[in-house]
Amino acid sequence: MGQEATADVAVVLSGGGMNGLLLELGFLKRLRESPLWTRIGWFFGSSAGALNGCMAALDRLERLEEFVLDLRPEDTFRANRLWRLPLLGTHDYALPRTIAERLGEPVEMAQQLEAAAAEVVAIVTDVTVSDESRLDGRRLFERAYSSRTTPPTVMAQAVLASAAIGVLVLPMPVGDRIGTDGGWVRNYPLGYAYERPEVERIVGFRYEGRYPALGLGPLRDLARRLRRYAKLPAARALVAELEEASRREERGQPVHIVDTFSRLSRVAIMRNTVLEELVAGWREQSVEELRSLRDDIATLVHESGLEGAELERLEAAISARFDDARFPFRHDRLVPRITVAGSVGDVSLEPGFRKPRPWTVESKRELIERGYLLTDRELQQHGFGDRLTRSAVA
């Protein structure tokens, strides 16, 4: 992407699976038609957001759209045979091979990112069995890989690891670390944008997921077939276990361990996403309160009756004390933020546990357009509604 203006805008992209990827594509398409596009200097992303951020930084949104419109569930996460589940996870991570075959070698794309106008930062969950994962305490088991400072081979691994959905596939190497889905620790990496002193505005897309429960699924059919062998002790015991699992499902309890992992991942991802914006809100509230406090103290000083050099000394001392104050956030300025919060409507595309429903082109286009329209509405509300390349919404 070319930059005709000073880079001062950061884009933050959350994870969200196929739904989030398509909604974010619509978000990026609309953002590219706004005056903000040429000001973008950074893309911060987790999971699907990391993939989208790379393609946006390379200004290849049309190529990305062609890629996703042709994508099938088995091209991303292909279900393993049941006997392989304890060894290899529920799914084979097919997306890296698909990207290499249809978009280009990930390492070559990472090399191109080094020279791109905008920096890409991908967030990865570090599950290396080592105390080194603790870093400085603030980034507990969390790694951020930048296209500016990370070798292309490692950057390519980081982006793919960030998108490796943790409840489906095994973690993978990222340089000398072992990484997986960035959504576990930082699904919406808003805080990274605030930490860059050059950033004057933040534009983010936050996917609001709706996660269906796994339930018994194919195990229900297995129980039905096994009932004919109920006279055999082993089959009878298994049927009893499956029936008990069915009763747990009726009570709203987890049906099996994979269902438990799915619920835990949903809790972790949704909670850290909400906390990210909550902390950002606290940051903004603190900056505003400090500014108000400073103004109030200045008013009290002027009302104190002091004059001349004594008044000047007191004002200078108060100003110096405020300037020297140290907080875990920048307190000298507010960073305006535009947030597009997107969820699916009537159309939802999920990989599924065993036999996912086909992904139709019509459904994909509907999600892309939904992301576009949600973004258009937010940009209009914040005064950036003018389109540079599209006069009307398709």
Side-chain angles (χ1 to χ4, degrees):
M1 59 185 283
Q3 285 182 302
E4 300 172 2
T6 301
D8 62 355
V9 173
V11 175
V12 183
L13 301 166
S14 78
M18 189 60 175
N19 286 328
L21 191 149
L22 291 165
L23 288 166
E24 284 181 352
L25 175 54
F27 162 83
L28 290 167
K29 289 177 66 176
R30 178 62 186 90
L31 188 59
R32 189 174 61 176
E33 297 171 1
S34 78
L36 294 169
W37 185 257
T38 57
R39 295 168 53 188
I40 296 172
W42 305 266
F43 290 93
F44 300 94
S46 288
S47 197
L51 291 170
N52 280 332
C54 290
M55 296 302 287
L58 295 173
D59 206 4
R60 296 180 184 172
L61 296 185
E62 286 80 8
R63 185 69 190 91
L64 176 61
E65 186 166 11
E66 293 174 6
F67 173 75
V68 297
L69 290 178
D70 191 45
L71 209 57
R72 300 168 300 173
E74 57 270 27
D75 296 328
T76 58
F77 299 93
R78 185 179 296 116
N80 282 323
R81 294 183 181 275
L82 291 175
W83 67 268
R84 304 181 76 188
L85 301 191
L87 299 174
L88 297 177
T90 64
H91 287 67
D92 170 46
Y93 191 23
L95 185 60
R97 295 191 298 274
T98 304
I99 289 176
E101 292 168 359
R102 303 180 191 177
L103 277 181
E105 285 294 334
V107 175
E108 293 179 4
M109 294 173 64
Q111 290 172 337
Q112 294 164 3
L113 281 174
E114 281 188 304
E119 177 184 1
V120 177
V121 177
I123 310 303
V124 175
T125 301
D126 187 349
V127 294
T128 311
V129 183
S130 167
D131 287 341
E132 295 178 17
S133 299
R134 294 184 176 274
L135 297 179
D136 62 2
R138 293 177 62 237
R139 300 282 188 249
L140 196 64
F141 303 105
E142 176 183 336
R143 297 267 166 171
Y145 295 88
S146 165
S147 60
R148 291 284 187 267
T149 58
T150 304
T153 53
V154 179
M155 187 65 190
Q157 293 172 337
V159 173
L160 293 172
S162 182
I165 297 178
V167 295
L168 299 182
V169 301
L170 295 178
M172 56 191 296
V174 182
D176 61 350
R177 315 302 298 172
I178 302 298
T180 190
D181 189 352
W184 288 102
V185 289
R186 192 73 75 112
N187 190 55
Y188 185 48
L190 187 59
Y192 282 92
Y194 278 102
E195 291 173 4
R196 297 298 181 100
E198 307 93 334
V199 172
E200 297 294 337
R201 181 175 292 276
I202 298 171
V203 185
F205 186 94
R206 173 172 51 79
Y207 174 62
E208 297 181 329
R210 299 175 185 174
Y211 302 94
L214 290 177
L216 274 177
L219 296 180
R220 186 176 287 105
D221 294 332
L222 176 62
R224 189 179 302 113
R225 292 196 300 270
L226 285 175
R227 287 192 183 97
R228 72 183 70 173
Y229 307 107
K231 293 182 179 180
L232 299 175
R236 186 165 57 249
L238 182 53
V239 168
E241 290 288 347
L242 291 170
E243 289 177 345
E244 175 57 29
S246 179
R247 288 191 287 272
R248 285 199 300 273
E249 183 177 28
E250 293 173 357
R251 295 193 296 266
Q253 296 176 253
V255 175
H256 42 63
I257 193 64
V258 177
D259 191 10
T260 300
F261 291 157
S262 175
R263 294 186 185 209
L264 288 172
S265 70
R266 180 165 64 248
V267 168
I269 291 171
M270 294 179 71
R271 187 173 187 273
N272 78 52
T273 300
V274 170
L275 283 175
E276 199 76 15
E277 286 209 297
L278 185 63
V279 171
W282 289 342
R283 182 195 309 264
E284 293 166 358
Q285 181 181 351
S286 298
V287 173
E288 290 176 345
E289 190 63 24
L290 279 168
R291 184 176 296 174
S292 177
L293 178 63
R294 188 169 188 163
D295 291 342
D296 289 347
I297 291 176
T299 299
L300 290 172
V301 169
H302 278 282
E303 293 175 351
S304 66
L306 295 174
E307 296 179 352
E310 189 175 3
L311 175 61
E312 291 178 2
R313 282 195 299 272
L314 182 57
E315 288 178 332
I318 292 172
S319 180
R321 182 63 188 92
F322 271 96
D323 292 341
D324 290 342
R326 294 293 175 262
F327 298 90
F329 54 85
R330 290 200 59 163
H331 62 282
D332 57 341
R333 65 190 180 94
L334 285 170
V335 180
R337 172 161 48 100
I338 300 174
T339 302
V340 181
S343 62
V344 297
D346 297 329
V347 175
S348 177
L349 305 180
E350 298 293 345
F353 180 59
R354 301 302 301 171
K355 294 181 179 179
R357 290 178 296 178
W359 293 343
T360 66
V361 171
E362 292 75 20
S363 296
K364 294 173 184 176
R365 291 192 186 280
E366 184 171 335
L367 286 169
I368 294 170
E369 187 67 7
R370 181 175 176 82
Y372 183 100
L373 293 173
L374 289 169
T375 308
D376 182 68
R377 183 179 65 188
E378 288 298 328
L379 291 177
Q380 296 279 357
Q381 292 178 356
H382 287 83
F384 294 97
D386 292 341
R387 297 184 182 87
L388 301 181
T389 60
R390 179 171 167 171
S391 60
V393 177

